Amino acid sequence: MLTKTTKIREPFGDRVLLTCIYLLLGTITLTVLYPLVYIFSSSISSPDAVVGGRVWLFPVDISLRAYESIFQSKQLMMGYYNSIVYTVFGTLINLTFTVLMAYPLSQRSMPGRNIFMILMMITVFFSGGLIPTYLLVKNLHMLDTRWALWLPGAFSAFQVIIARTFFQSSIPLELQEAAQMDGCRDIRYLWSIVLPLSKPILAVMTLMYAVGHWNAYFDALIYLRSENLFPLQYVLRNVLILNAADPEMLANTAQALRDKGFEQVLKYALIVVACVPVLIMYPFVQKHFVKGVMIGSLKG
Amino acid sequence: MAQTWLKMRRSWELYLLILLPIAYLIIFKYIPMFGVIIAFKDFNVIKGILGSPWVGFKHFENLFQSPNFPVLIKNTIIISFYSLLAGFPIPILLALALNEIRTGFFKKSVQMITYAPHFISTVVMVSIIILMLSPHVGVVERIFTFLGLPTTNFMGEPGLFKSIYVWSGVWQEMGYASIIYIAALAGVDPSLYEAARMDGASRFKKILHIDLPSLLPITITMLILSLGNLMAVGFEKIFLMQNPLNLSTSEVISTYVYKVGLLGANFSFSSAVGLFNSVINLLLLIAVNAIARRVSQNSLW
């Protein structure tokens, strides 16, 4: 019963299965890709082509007027500016708090570290809920200030666990012993040795937190009232979902374009503009975040 | 004892570091948890949480007697179970399929493309849904017309709301959710595959007898976590997808809490609704965890 070599390695059944797998993955990928391509194509097509149903996949009669009027809209540019401010400072606060929490938790020598861990994990399963949190923010006089979008979510327990696991598993203990021999204490060690060695995990956390801030609208919805504080997502919701288009946004464009068709193209363009910052970051950190999720999930 | 004290003194810098995050947890997490008592009080803005009078279970009784209550519960449960049934197995399937093909351009592209929608914001996601499904100009409508199917106002049809919500969620999250299973499969001992190949196992048998059992522990963990969150259906997306036409099937507990509590300024009643929801979630989590421990020795605690 000796089998012959090489050619029989992939029996018929296996080849059928493999073909099915390729077909399945191909279909899934196309299904995910199609709406994204369609939206991009529509955003740079002429309003006539979009409303007339001539855009199926590739852009028809390329026109960038929708993008021009977006960049001329004060409301949208204000939203863009606010979102950048919320994202940059919010992410900085998040990273600081996460490291301050995760590093002590990673030190086995610290008495009481389990108590701190439990204190944090309880908040994952229990929370005060919407109303008590809102009342707290109100009592702290943070309503309608940028702080309401920064402080209530200063760190996530999930990210702390990922960072802690990284500190424990990827930084050799010998380094710390050597540093301690030389008289290096915890804060100095964290700053000069641990953080420079943790760039991959810091990159993952930056991406996760930054995307979170960039995409958030709910906090703005409940905590903010002043128009000049609204982040982009909140402005987008008003324009895209509530159809409360800003007349100014269309005003600078020729009268002939102020019809339903142009509004439609404008909406597609807005979607693209809202996604651009995340899309720019995405390829750079994609490798890292897969690793980050794995560190966080497997060794927890 | 003395030794612990010495250790604590030696760790003073660590305590200094952790001071800020712990203060944050106490102020922003534990104080609101304590604030839940307003569900048992008639909250008065001037008197504050502590000064308002106790009313016992009045708000809970109001909730249970409210004609909205059965509808809210029904919608919440159906949407959660539907999401779980559709959304849970697909990432596992995707991970198994990806695991079968060798690393290369195709595999990398599939992963890169399917992960991407996870990073789209809820506002943009809902806008995409509305634009693509809009009557007359949406691409889905045109495809329907092309195929000779009747035209439908998708977002205005109460019967379609749940399917649109669930399947758009699958579209957005399946790739990203598969990462954790891909990671688990990457950790399988290669000698198992070699042994299987020696014994003449086909690819399918290999998936059945090696891959699936290796995924079991992480699958159970993920299942417990999602069952524990069963009643916590996402507020943001449902809220944004709601319109007066589909409200009969789209109103869930979390959107109701927001509307009654913050828009209607009925803080106490709304907190009672929220608390009721969290208690159910917690009971579910404990129950599922207990079952999982009995059946499979895999559990969260």
Side-chain angles (χ1 to χ4, degrees):
Chain A
M1 286 293 279
L2 283 172
T3 38
K4 283 182 191 167
T5 48
T6 50
K7 290 223 164 156
I8 311 174
R9 271 210 182 143
E10 285 279 355
F12 180 69
D14 281 5
R15 267 181 292 159
V16 171
L17 185 72
L18 205 59
T19 315
C20 290
I21 283 172
Y22 273 100
L23 278 176
L24 175 81
L25 288 176
T27 317
I28 288 178
T29 311
L30 288 180
T31 318
V32 172
L33 200 57
Y34 179 73
L36 303 175
V37 175
Y38 175 79
I39 285 156
F40 180 70
S41 297
S42 298
S43 79
I44 55 170
S45 296
S46 76
D48 284 346
V50 172
V51 177
R54 283 188 286 135
V55 180
W56 286 96
L57 180 65
F58 294 112
V60 179
D61 305 335
I62 290 179
S63 132
L64 293 175
R65 270 179 296 217
Y67 288 95
E68 280 168 26
S69 67
I70 287 175
F71 286 109
Q72 282 160 2
S73 156
K74 249 192 219 154
Q75 200 189 4
L76 282 169
M77 285 302 107
M78 191 73 189
Y80 227 91
Y81 166 78
N82 283 332
S83 277
I84 292 172
V85 172
Y86 291 131
T87 305
V88 171
F89 288 97
T91 309
L92 272 177
I93 292 173
N94 291 152
L95 286 177
T96 313
F97 272 80
T98 308
V99 169
L100 288 182
M101 184 79 191
Y103 177 72
L105 285 181
S106 75
Q107 296 310 103
R108 291 200 172 81
S109 62
M110 181 173 81
R113 106 188 154 122
N114 283 331
I115 298 170
F116 295 128
M117 189 72 190
I118 292 166
L119 210 60
M120 181 179 77
M121 290 316 290
I122 287 175
T123 68
V124 175
F125 296 104
F126 298 91
S127 76
L130 179 66
I131 306 293
T133 312
Y134 172 83
L135 290 176
L136 172 77
V137 171
K138 193 176 166 218
N139 288 338
L140 292 172
H141 300 290
M142 293 198 316
L143 279 189
D144 213 20
T145 67
R146 294 191 195 279
W147 295 106
L149 270 62
W150 286 329
L151 287 187
F155 67 78
S156 101
F158 179 67
Q159 304 287 347
V160 168
I161 292 171
I162 291 182
R164 186 199 66 150
T165 311
F166 186 90
F167 293 154
Q168 272 177 1
S169 59
S170 306
I171 295 171
L173 219 62
E174 292 79 9
L175 267 180
Q176 190 172 12
E177 283 160 13
Q180 273 170 352
M181 291 284 204
D182 294 341
C184 176
R185 301 204 55 105
D186 283 301
I187 292 175
R188 175 82 196 278
Y189 174 71
L190 171 66
W191 183 253
S192 339
I193 295 175
V194 174
L195 286 185
L197 286 175
S198 307
K199 275 180 195 148
I201 200 73
L202 291 176
V204 179
M205 293 197 308
T206 306
L207 176 82
M208 300 284 192
Y209 281 131
V211 169
H213 281 290
W214 184 263
N215 286 345
Y217 95 98
F218 180 60
D219 289 349
L221 175 76
I222 54 177
Y223 296 133
L224 298 182
R225 297 286 167 270
S226 316
E227 226 166 277
N228 61 338
L229 291 177
F230 289 159
L232 182 66
Q233 301 293 335
Y234 189 80
V235 180
L236 283 180
R237 171 200 174 235
N238 294 344
V239 178
L240 289 168
I241 294 169
L242 301 184
N243 275 315
D246 169 18
E248 240 183 277
M249 194 156 59
L250 302 164
N252 293 324
T253 326
Q255 191 72 26
L257 289 168
R258 295 183 59 181
D259 52 25
K260 200 162 183 271
F262 184 66
E263 235 184 88
Q264 194 78 5
V265 174
L266 192 70
K267 287 181 173 181
Y268 286 114
L270 276 174
I271 288 179
V272 176
V273 170
C275 293
V276 161
V278 178
L279 286 179
I280 292 173
M281 277 180 90
Y282 177 64
F284 291 104
V285 242
Q286 197 223 356
K287 269 183 218 153
H288 286 314
F289 76 64
V290 173
K291 208 164 105 190
V293 170
M294 291 184 188
I295 294 169
S297 60
L298 287 182
K299 296 175 195 163
Chain B
M1 190 62 213
Q3 213 175 5
T4 317
W5 181 239
L6 192 72
K7 263 191 184 171
M8 281 175 80
R9 270 188 39 194
R10 217 182 277 153
S11 311
W12 69 270
E13 284 197 357
L14 293 174
Y15 292 114
L16 190 69
L17 289 173
I18 210 169
L19 195 67
L20 204 56
I22 293 295
Y24 158 79
L25 282 179
I26 289 168
I27 294 172
F28 284 95
K29 299 287 173 188
Y30 284 91
I31 290 181
M33 259 185 237
F34 173 73
V36 161
I37 59 166
I38 70 167
F40 304 95
K41 290 184 161 210
D42 259 336
F43 179 67
N44 181 316
V45 184
I46 299 153
K47 290 179 188 158
I49 292 177
L50 291 175
S52 301
W54 291 96
V55 292
F57 285 91
K58 183 182 115 186
H59 300 294
F60 292 90
E61 280 162 22
N62 286 345
L63 170 68
F64 298 142
Q65 282 156 11
S66 141
N68 294 325
F69 183 65
V71 181
L72 283 177
I73 294 286
K74 195 182 130 200
N75 286 338
T76 309
I77 289 178
I78 293 179
I79 291 181
S80 330
F81 269 102
Y82 192 173
S83 306
L84 189 70
L85 283 179
F88 197 79
I90 290 176
I92 301 177
L93 199 71
L94 188 62
L96 287 172
L98 276 169
N99 193 45
E100 283 308 301
I101 55 177
R102 266 178 292 118
T103 327
F105 176 73
F106 182 71
K107 188 172 184 170
K108 274 187 190 149
S109 323
V110 172
Q111 287 183 294
M112 182 140 179
I113 290 165
T114 53
Y115 296 167
H118 170 79
F119 295 97
I120 294 175
S121 76
T122 320
V123 172
V124 167
M125 184 66 211
V126 174
S127 311
I128 293 176
I129 297 170
I130 292 174
L131 277 172
M132 297 202 58
L133 294 179
S134 73
H136 312 303
V137 281
V139 70
V140 175
E141 176 86 56
R142 282 184 1 238
I143 293 171
F144 266 50
T145 321
F146 186 76
L147 296 171
L149 293 162
T151 54
T152 326
N153 177 11
F154 295 94
M155 294 305 289
E157 195 68 58
L160 290 176
F161 180 86
K162 288 170 179 129
S163 294
I164 296 171
Y165 173 83
V166 168
W167 290 103
S168 60
V170 170
W171 180 85
Q172 187 173 14
E173 297 297 339
M174 62 180 167
Y176 196 75
S178 71
I179 292 179
I180 197 158
Y181 301 106
I182 291 171
L185 285 172
V188 176
D189 186 355
S191 65
L192 283 176
Y193 290 126
E194 280 160 26
R197 191 194 265 171
M198 285 299 201
D199 292 342
S202 67
R203 267 177 191 272
F204 183 68
K205 285 214 159 143
K206 219 184 60 199
I207 295 177
L208 205 64
H209 297 297
I210 301 175
D211 292 350
L212 282 180
S214 322
L215 285 183
L216 199 63
I218 187 75
T219 307
I220 288 172
T221 308
M222 298 303 283
L223 197 61
I224 297 173
L225 285 174
S226 23
L227 283 168
N229 275 319
L230 202 60
M231 301 287 281
V233 285
F235 167 86
E236 295 200 8
K237 199 172 154 200
I238 294 182
F239 180 68
L240 289 171
M241 283 174 70
Q242 277 177 345
N243 61 44
L245 293 173
N246 64 29
L247 214 54
S248 61
T249 54
S250 66
E251 190 81 295
V252 293
I253 293 176
S254 54
T255 53
Y256 189 69
V257 168
Y258 171 73
K259 285 174 192 165
V260 176
L262 284 186
L263 300 184
N266 201 340
F267 293 128
S268 285
F269 177 71
S270 177
S271 297
V273 182
L275 184 60
F276 165 74
N277 197 22
S278 322
V279 168
I280 297 216
N281 260 327
L282 190 70
L283 291 179
L284 268 171
L285 184 74
I286 294 169
V288 175
N289 193 60
I291 296 170
R293 194 164 36 186
R294 280 256 177 99
V295 178
S296 70
Q297 283 89 46
N298 288 298
S299 62
L300 286 184
W301 63 82

